[in-house]
Amino acid sequence: MELTKEQLKQLLPKNPYIDHWHHALSILLPDYEINTPQRIAAFIAQCSHESGGFTALKENLNYRAETLTRLWPRLFPPEIAKAYAAMPNKQEAIANRAYGGRMGNGDEHSGDGFKFCGRGLIQLTGRSNYQAFADSLEMSIDDVPEYLGTFEGAAQSACWFWESNNLNTWADKGDILTLTKKINGGTIGLEDRVKHYEHALHVLGA
């Protein structure tokens, strides 16, 4: 099936860029076989939760000290969390510490953590993921951060992640719990994702 502009308006009622998103999705969804009401509903629901209704295309790392300690207790014990939360370039510093030395990133001082922080509709994160995405499009990894900030790039990275992790299989089963675990690594926001999914099914006439 094809997602119409009117349907997308109902799914993203507060988004001012429906024309741009519809243009990108109408090209990309068929390419990645996100082409049934169940698949489209699951995709839109997960992306809506991850990106605040297709509005936040870059991870917000503007955390307070207490939040840092809760999210990353090993990396940000209270005293270190306070120091990082008080830094003038705190988002960059937090990303470099939180993501340094993993997901293919260099250590904290390499700057990879911030360079390859979460971007796109499903928050593509880490040098390894950026490189794999770049390879799939035969583009340079250095061009990926900027591309992920565009409508097409943000949507395509989500479609690529979806295909790479075989998420259509779980969408076909209506298994939002497993989809959420594959995308989030846990079950954060499950209730909201289910709500988006059920609304999307209704709008798509499934």
Side-chain angles (χ1 to χ4, degrees):
M1 74 164 288
E2 193 175 314
L3 177 68
T4 70
K5 197 184 295 184
E6 282 309 309
Q7 287 169 333
L8 192 59
K9 259 186 205 168
Q10 290 180 62
L11 296 174
L12 305 174
K14 295 177 182 170
N15 195 293
Y17 302 110
I18 293 298
D19 284 352
H20 296 285
W21 286 122
H22 182 256
H23 178 72
L25 292 172
S26 61
I27 294 168
L28 293 165
L29 294 184
D31 279 355
Y32 289 85
E33 296 185 5
I34 303 169
N35 52 9
T36 67
Q38 286 79 9
R39 291 177 179 186
I40 294 170
F43 179 83
I44 297 288
Q46 293 289 342
C47 289
S48 289
H49 178 82
E50 290 287 323
S51 66
F54 286 56
T55 60
L57 304 186
K58 185 179 178 185
E59 182 177 12
N60 182 358
L61 290 146
N62 188 25
Y63 293 123
R64 292 182 304 163
E66 310 85 77
T67 309
L68 284 174
T69 301
R70 194 176 74 246
L71 288 174
W72 293 290
R74 186 179 60 80
L75 290 169
F76 293 99
E79 286 309 309
I80 289 177
K82 273 183 199 165
Y84 274 77
M87 289 181 180
N89 62 334
K90 77 175 193 176
Q91 292 209 44
E92 187 171 345
I94 286 167
N96 286 332
R97 184 169 178 84
Y99 299 139
R102 60 195 186 98
M103 298 183 287
N105 292 336
D107 66 16
E108 179 176 351
H109 304 292
S110 70
D112 281 358
F114 186 65
K115 184 176 182 181
F116 303 114
C117 70
R119 289 185 176 87
L121 290 176
I122 296 186
Q123 299 286 291
L124 201 65
T125 310
R127 177 184 279 274
S128 296
N129 275 323
Y130 275 58
Q131 186 65 65
F133 179 58
D135 292 346
S136 78
L137 298 178
E138 298 181 345
M139 69 191 291
S140 164
I141 190 173
D142 294 326
D143 296 330
V144 171
E146 185 178 348
Y147 182 55
L148 292 177
T150 67
F151 295 104
E152 184 183 345
Q156 186 154 26
S157 63
C159 290
W160 171 83
F161 181 89
W162 196 268
E163 181 182 69
S164 301
N165 290 278
N166 202 23
L167 299 187
N168 273 335
T169 301
W170 306 104
D172 290 344
K173 296 174 181 175
D175 188 345
I176 303 306
L177 176 63
T178 300
L179 276 172
T180 299
K181 287 180 177 176
K182 297 272 185 189
I183 291 166
N184 174 256
T187 58
I188 292 171
L190 180 61
E191 194 178 322
D192 185 60
R193 295 169 200 262
V194 169
K195 188 178 75 178
H196 280 301
Y197 175 65
E198 289 174 349
H199 176 57
L201 283 179
H202 174 72
V203 168
L204 297 172

